């Protein structure tokens, strides 16, 4: 029911993505700045699955700024397009094979490695 979800932590990130509404993730900072690499990889993964979203660089810059890892962009992403993108990302996630099946396939492929 929100126009924008401001979230913190991985569990909230999962729920926000499933909601299909625009979100900004405040990632938990780590002393060695590992969170910066994690956030950069995450934003690039999301953007790579959403071709044609002109405001994707603004979203990435906003996500970095929200986490103190970059400068604030001059303009935020346009809300209607951001909302469409969020639904598109949710659809992408829904098309993935469930985790249990993925783990079973992985384990079956590695069964000869044990010995």
């Amino acid at each position: 029911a929100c126009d924008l979800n401001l979230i913190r932590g991985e569990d909230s990130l999962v729920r926000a993505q499933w909601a299909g509404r625009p979100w900004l993730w405040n990632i938990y900072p780590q002393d060695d700045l590992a969170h910066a690499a994690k956030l950069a990889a995450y934003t690039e993964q999301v953007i790579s699955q959403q071709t044609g979203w002109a405001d994707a660089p603004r979203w990435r810059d906003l996500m970095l700024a929200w986490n103190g890892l970059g400068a604030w962009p001059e303009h935020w992403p346009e809300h209607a397009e951001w909302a469409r993108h969020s639904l598109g990302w949710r659809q992408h996630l829904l098309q993935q094979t469930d985790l249990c099946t993925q783990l079973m396939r992985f384990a079956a492929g590695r069964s000869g490695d044990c010995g």
Side-chain angles (χ1 to χ4, degrees):
C2 296
D3 290 327
L4 174 63
N5 291 294
L6 304 173
I7 55 171
R8 181 148 175 99
E10 286 79 5
D11 291 346
S12 297
L13 174 63
V14 170
R15 287 191 296 272
Q17 291 174 113
W18 286 126
R21 303 294 301 157
W23 74 92
L24 287 175
W25 177 28
N26 186 237
I27 191 171
Y28 288 116
Q30 296 172 294
D31 291 334
D32 61 358
L33 291 180
H35 66 289
K38 183 178 179 179
L39 185 63
Y42 170 75
T43 57
E44 291 309 314
Q45 177 66 24
V46 173
I47 289 170
S48 73
Q49 297 298 322
Q50 296 294 309
T51 59
W53 186 31
D55 277 348
R58 286 183 183 172
W59 175 77
R60 179 191 56 237
D61 293 347
L62 182 59
M63 188 79 79
L64 292 172
W66 183 250
N67 284 278
L69 298 169
W72 287 94
E74 188 173 327
H75 301 285
W76 284 39
E78 195 277 320
H79 189 267
E81 287 298 314
W82 191 358
R84 277 192 278 285
H85 158 75
S86 300
L87 282 174
W89 179 246
R90 179 178 183 267
Q91 285 305 116
H92 167 73
L93 295 176
L94 286 169
Q95 293 171 5
Q96 292 181 336
T97 304
D98 66 272
L99 181 58
C100 183
T101 301
Q102 289 182 47
L103 288 171
M104 289 173 52
R105 286 181 186 157
F106 176 78
R110 309 249 330 150
S111 63
D113 292 348
C114 294

